[in-house]
Amino acid sequence: MKKNKGKVNTTEKEFVFGFRAGRNDCVLKVPLQFPVQENVSDLHGRLMLLHKIPCFVENELRSTLSTFIESETIQDYDREAELALQRLTTGEVDIDQLTNTWAKAYSETTLEHACPEEPSWDEDFADVYHELIHSPASDTLLNLEHNYFVSVSELISERDMELKKLQERQATEMDKVMQELGKTMTDQDVNAVASQHFDAQQVLENKWANELKQVTHIQKQEYQEWVIKLHQDMQNPNNSTINEEIKMQPSQLTEESEPGARLYEEQRQLEESFTIHLGAQLKTMHNLRLVRADVLDFCKHRRHGSRGTKLRRLQTALSLYSSSLCGLVLLVDNRVNSYSGIKRDFATVSKECTDFHFPRLEEQLEVVQQVVLYARSQTSKHKDQPGESVPRNGSSCEDKNQNVEKNSSNILPGEFYISRHSNLSEVHIVFHLCVDDNVRSGNITAREPAIMGLRNILKVCCTHDVTTITIPLLLVHDMSEEMTIPWCLRRAELVFKCVKGFMMEMASWDGGISRTVQFLVPQSISEEMFYQLSNMLPQIFRVSSTLTLTSKR
């Protein structure tokens, strides 16, 4: 046995194994480093392969090697223990320092002696809010939230009015400049005026953006402090007046409809509902709905009360910190921002009401961007490792990853990111699913990235208590000319069948929990087309006699 000078507290010992092969006596001698860091089974396999050991001595070699490593390791530990005791008896080690070190290590690694984690402000506020919203103070909370919402809405109206006046004034000025083009004005003058108009709009938009940000920040801080104070007052047995005031306070969420609200509700409530039971042995009940509406209707609050407004807001608030969350699938492009298209419209809706529980949408998107950048960097490191094989169909992979290579902050079709909200009408969680122009074609299959993205979204719903999920049935939010009736029927049939298969998998994901799946079609779909889709749904989900279907119109 000899000491290895390259490593501290490491010794090299020789393992000797003798066996008989025919008439020959063979001896295997292998140096081993102690303590042995690698797995004994892996070491045994390497020895068999490198030294071409006969297979009939494989088990004997394994047992001998395991016994040798175990005995030598115990001897090393005993030797180190004896040396430590000798240093202790000779006074080379400070006993007080040693006992303090042991006590510290024990208290840090043992749960019952560890310091309790300090509860965060978000956790405390969530517990307090959940208790108050399930108490008689729920109307008080909703009234305060509605007042804040009206305040922000008025501020947004002022912003829109000022921007509209600026645009009208600039349009008039640009018309005058264009009339003088070629006379007293040149192209450079027109470009200079257009640049001034753009800068003026940017200054005004930034001014209002900062003001809205400041107002919502103040509202959030005031609201959270008020909720904590209200909870403390209600917990005080000597303060009984607060409970009487809460009971006597009238609701400000009236049920009187604003002009045009009835037409909105009638269009929105064009839906068909079904109850199904899926499963071979253990049946699970699920609710299916086919709804014709705009995707942002699930997010918008109405400034004036309409039918069911108070109930929707109350239901959303009651289930905010529960195991019955509501989710929505929003189809977006591959850029993680809120600058264009449906993403900008959604960001505008999310700003109409202050989120008192979660960070602003912009802050959540910044976190997502950082996560995407980190994930792409880790993927690049993995690809740069030597020995990585290149797939045969590398050309197709390069085509799919072309956008990611140009900008590592972009995501691929089928990938999605999640944002959390407490300020939307009927939604707590939004799944931003990345799709490309291929979803507008008529030849997609079940292996389409958007379809696989829906499967992964449903899996997240099963693992994170999302019991209601709204899915765009046609994988688009707006209709176009190429989306004919046959196109819509083929797309709906594909999505219905795929979602049915995913729902059959849910039993293995969550043990069989009842869920509600809403299939959303664009508002521009005709009633005839809508009822054709509603007739298709029960035909596809009737898989066997174990399925019970009930239609409610």
Side-chain angles (χ1 to χ4, degrees):
M1 182 182 69
K2 61 180 181 179
K3 289 282 184 180
N4 190 327
K5 297 181 180 179
K7 297 181 180 180
V8 181
N9 296 330
T10 301
T11 59
E12 182 180 290
K13 300 180 182 180
E14 187 177 50
F15 169 67
V16 180
F17 174 70
F19 62 93
R20 187 175 181 83
R23 298 181 180 181
N24 300 324
D25 294 330
C26 303
V27 178
L28 173 65
K29 296 183 179 181
V30 179
L32 299 178
Q33 297 289 336
F34 281 83
V36 178
Q37 302 294 334
E38 58 185 318
N39 186 273
V40 177
S41 299
D42 295 340
L43 179 59
H44 168 259
R46 289 172 54 195
L47 294 179
M48 291 288 298
L49 181 63
L50 294 177
H51 298 278
K52 299 180 180 180
I53 305 299
C55 60
F56 57 84
V57 297
E58 179 179 358
N59 294 333
E60 183 181 358
L61 175 61
R62 181 187 292 107
S63 61
T64 305
L65 179 63
S66 300
T67 303
F68 175 76
I69 292 177
E70 182 179 1
S71 62
E72 293 297 330
T73 302
I74 293 176
Q75 290 181 11
D76 289 344
Y77 287 155
D78 292 341
R79 189 180 303 107
E80 292 180 0
E82 292 177 358
L83 292 176
L85 290 175
Q86 290 179 3
R87 290 194 296 269
L88 188 62
T89 54
T90 57
E92 298 180 9
V93 179
D94 187 0
I95 298 180
D96 295 334
Q97 182 180 1
L98 183 61
T99 53
N100 293 334
T101 304
W102 280 1
K104 180 180 178 181
Y106 184 79
S107 61
E108 290 179 351
T109 56
T110 307
L111 181 61
E112 61 179 337
H113 295 284
C115 296
E117 296 183 2
E118 296 183 0
S120 64
W121 166 263
D122 293 336
E123 293 177 353
D124 290 341
F125 178 73
D127 294 337
V128 169
Y129 179 84
H130 184 74
E131 182 176 346
L132 288 180
I133 202 64
H134 289 80
S135 71
S138 59
D139 275 345
T140 306
L141 294 178
L142 294 180
N143 289 337
L144 181 60
E145 292 178 6
H146 182 71
N147 292 335
Y148 281 140
F149 165 64
V150 172
S151 176
V152 174
S153 299
E154 292 175 351
L155 194 63
I156 292 177
S157 299
E158 294 179 10
R159 178 201 63 183
D160 295 340
M161 183 62 66
E162 190 169 345
L163 287 173
K164 183 180 179 180
K165 291 181 180 179
L166 176 63
Q167 293 172 356
E168 292 176 351
R169 186 169 63 253
Q170 290 179 348
T172 303
E173 184 178 351
M174 182 58 70
D175 291 339
K176 294 181 180 179
V177 172
M178 294 302 295
Q179 292 176 1
E180 297 295 328
L181 180 62
K183 300 177 182 179
T184 59
M185 294 288 184
T186 63
D187 293 339
Q188 289 79 7
D189 296 331
V190 174
N191 293 335
V193 173
S195 177
Q196 292 176 0
H197 289 176
F198 178 79
D199 293 339
Q201 288 186 9
Q202 290 294 315
V203 170
L204 186 60
E205 289 178 357
N206 291 335
K207 169 206 167 186
W208 280 105
N210 292 331
E211 186 169 351
L212 278 173
K213 182 179 179 181
Q214 183 178 5
V215 169
T216 54
H217 177 74
I218 294 174
Q219 286 186 355
K220 183 175 182 178
Q221 185 176 2
E222 290 180 350
Y223 179 84
Q224 292 184 346
E225 292 177 353
W226 183 85
V227 167
I228 296 296
K229 185 177 184 302
L230 176 63
H231 181 263
Q232 293 175 350
D233 292 341
M234 293 183 64
Q235 296 296 321
N236 187 3
N238 297 326
N239 193 356
S240 59
T241 57
I242 186 66
N243 294 324
E244 298 297 330
E245 293 177 359
I246 290 175
K247 293 179 181 179
M248 296 298 296
Q249 185 174 3
S251 175
Q252 298 178 12
L253 292 175
T254 61
E255 295 296 324
E256 297 179 0
S257 300
E258 61 176 309
R262 182 174 298 277
L263 176 61
Y264 167 84
E265 290 294 334
E266 289 177 355
Q267 291 179 346
R268 167 65 199 284
Q269 292 302 323
L270 183 58
E271 69 175 44
E272 291 253 0
S273 300
F274 305 88
T275 300
I276 64 173
H277 292 79
L278 292 177
Q281 296 179 353
L282 180 61
K283 300 180 181 64
T284 303
M285 185 183 73
H286 300 283
N287 297 317
L288 302 181
R289 291 196 188 104
L290 181 64
V291 185
R292 188 187 74 170
D294 186 85
V295 65
L296 296 181
D297 290 343
F298 293 90
C299 307
K300 294 178 181 177
H301 286 292
R302 302 195 65 78
R303 181 172 176 179
H304 301 282
S306 58
R307 289 186 300 172
T309 298
K310 180 180 179 181
L311 294 178
R312 284 196 295 270
R313 296 193 65 169
L314 180 61
Q315 179 61 33
T316 305
L318 289 174
S319 57
L320 179 60
Y321 295 104
S322 70
S323 57
S324 301
L325 301 176
C326 298
L328 172 69
V329 178
L330 190 68
L331 305 177
V332 298
D333 55 30
N334 61 347
R335 296 182 296 273
V336 185
N337 55 40
S338 58
Y339 298 145
S340 61
I342 190 67
K343 297 185 297 184
R344 182 171 185 175
D345 297 337
F346 174 73
T348 301
V349 171
S350 67
K351 292 177 182 178
E352 292 178 353
C353 186
T354 304
D355 197 320
F356 302 108
H357 301 264
F358 304 112
R360 295 181 301 111
L361 178 62
E362 292 80 2
E363 297 176 3
Q364 297 189 45
L365 294 183
E366 290 177 0
V367 175
V368 172
Q369 288 177 347
Q370 297 300 323
V371 174
V372 172
L373 289 173
Y374 176 77
R376 299 304 179 212
S377 64
Q378 295 300 313
T379 303
S380 301
K381 291 181 181 178
H382 181 70
K383 289 182 178 180
D384 294 339
Q385 289 181 357
E388 293 292 335
S389 59
V390 180
R392 295 179 181 269
N393 56 348
S395 59
S396 62
C397 294
E398 292 176 0
D399 294 337
K400 292 181 179 180
N401 297 333
Q402 185 177 5
N403 293 333
V404 178
E405 292 176 357
K406 292 181 180 179
N407 190 349
S408 57
S409 63
N410 291 347
I411 61 177
L412 293 172
E415 296 179 338
F416 62 92
Y417 52 93
I418 299 174
S419 59
R420 302 170 298 162
H421 307 273
S422 67
N423 58 339
L424 303 182
S425 176
E426 304 176 44
V427 177
H428 303 111
I429 297 174
V430 176
F431 299 91
H432 304 257
L433 176 61
C434 176
V435 296
D436 53 13
D437 293 336
N438 195 34
V439 297
R440 294 186 172 271
S441 64
N443 56 354
I444 68 172
T445 64
R447 303 302 299 177
E448 177 71 19
I451 298 292
M452 301 309 298
L454 290 179
R455 179 184 181 274
N456 294 330
I457 288 174
L458 289 176
K459 193 169 185 178
V460 172
C461 292
C462 292
T463 55
H464 291 79
D465 297 328
V466 181
T467 57
T468 301
I469 181 68
T470 302
I471 299 174
L473 176 60
L474 304 181
L475 299 181
V476 293
H477 292 312
D478 300 309
M479 302 297 292
S480 56
E481 294 181 356
E482 70 272 10
M483 300 175 186
T484 59
I485 292 179
W487 184 96
C488 294
L489 294 177
R490 289 196 305 270
R491 177 60 57 84
E493 182 180 6
L494 173 64
V495 176
F496 277 148
K497 289 182 177 180
C498 291
V499 172
K500 184 190 73 173
F502 301 154
M503 293 177 68
M504 296 293 289
E505 292 184 80
M506 285 184 180
S508 62
W509 294 340
D510 57 12
I513 296 178
S514 178
R515 300 188 184 277
T516 299
V517 179
Q518 298 186 134
F519 296 101
L520 180 67
V521 295
Q523 189 73 51
S524 56
I525 286 285
S526 63
E527 291 191 19
E528 180 183 0
M529 184 71 238
F530 177 84
Y531 287 115
Q532 288 187 38
L533 296 176
S534 67
N535 292 331
M536 178 189 296
L537 189 150
Q539 296 175 4
I540 292 178
F541 279 85
R542 187 181 293 114
V543 292
S544 66
S545 59
T546 61
L547 182 146
T548 304
L549 183 62
T550 304
S551 176
K552 295 179 290 184
R553 296 193 179 187

